[in-house]
Amino acid sequence: MTTPPPGLRERKKRATREALRGAALRLALERGPDEVRVEDIAEAAGVSPRTYNNYFASREQAIVSAVTADREERIAAAVAARPAGVRLADAVTEAVVEQYTHTGEGGHGALLLITTRTALRDAFLAATAGIELPLGAVIAERLGHAGEHTARVLAASVAAAVRIALDDWLRPAGYEGATGSPGTGGLVVPSGPLPDRLRAALLPLAPAFDAAERPVQA
């Protein structure tokens, strides 16, 4: 299925979103997230605070969006690009690992920033819910019309598994630091390789993906 190119209005909306999240991250890195107001982000992006509120519900959401940067659509696109002969469970796992371990330019500094603020960590974890709709559409296309409900369940399960993996990675069990516990703020040291945690979290879903791919018996 070929997706038509976005129209002028959609391109303008994307440009505004990119400008806002870019400004949010830049200001947060320069000043610290606690010193950044929504009005500051809007001004830096050349829009009004009202326009800002049409795109993001908080400054944390905008900052995190600069890190995730449409990751949910890229995961879905990566799954769709896999050859039909590739096992669906493998296609989804590889797409998730690939997109979550590619931080891009400036990504490491942004992730470090996220680990220092509880509100940013929570927004980062909440962003995984965005995986569900685009991935569900791709899975439904792969399974056929009869798999639409199953596709939604599988995509929601993937989003939940990714969130759990990230939560474990950013909030190591038993971590005690001089600046406080992970739940109250302060620096959280990511625990273990993220790809390993993502693969481990997604592994229990493999039988469900395999069952969904099997031909329906008459």
Side-chain angles (χ1 to χ4, degrees), residues 101-177:
T101 54
H102 178 69
T103 58
E105 186 177 353
H108 291 293
L111 280 176
L112 180 61
L113 181 70
I114 286 172
T115 65
T116 65
R117 297 293 191 282
T118 299
L120 287 174
R121 292 198 299 269
D122 290 345
F124 184 67
L125 294 173
T128 59
I131 294 172
E132 185 175 341
L133 287 179
L135 181 59
V138 169
I139 294 174
E141 186 175 348
R142 172 88 172 246
L143 297 179
H145 180 69
E148 183 175 352
H149 178 75
T150 298
R152 291 175 59 192
V153 173
L154 290 172
S157 300
V158 169
V162 171
R163 189 188 190 286
I164 289 169
L166 292 175
D167 189 46
D168 287 344
W169 187 61
L170 290 173
R171 303 167 190 262
Y175 174 84
E176 290 289 338

Side-chain angles (χ1 to χ4, degrees), residues 70-83:
D70 302 319
R71 182 178 282 156
E72 57 271 17
E73 283 87 2
R74 288 187 280 114
I75 288 173
V79 173
R82 295 294 196 277

Side-chain angles (χ1 to χ4, degrees), residues 142-148 150 209-218:
R142 172 88 172 246
L143 297 179
H145 180 69
E148 183 175 352
T150 298
F209 275 105
D210 291 342
E213 282 196 289
R214 293 191 196 106
V216 178
Q217 300 296 324

Side-chain angles (χ1 to χ4, degrees), residues 17-40:
R17 181 179 293 275
E18 289 172 6
L20 285 168
R21 66 192 181 196
L25 179 58
R26 176 173 56 80
L27 292 174
L29 289 171
E30 289 175 357
R31 307 177 184 179
D34 295 338
E35 302 302 320
V36 178
R37 303 176 304 160
V38 166
E39 292 81 3
D40 299 328

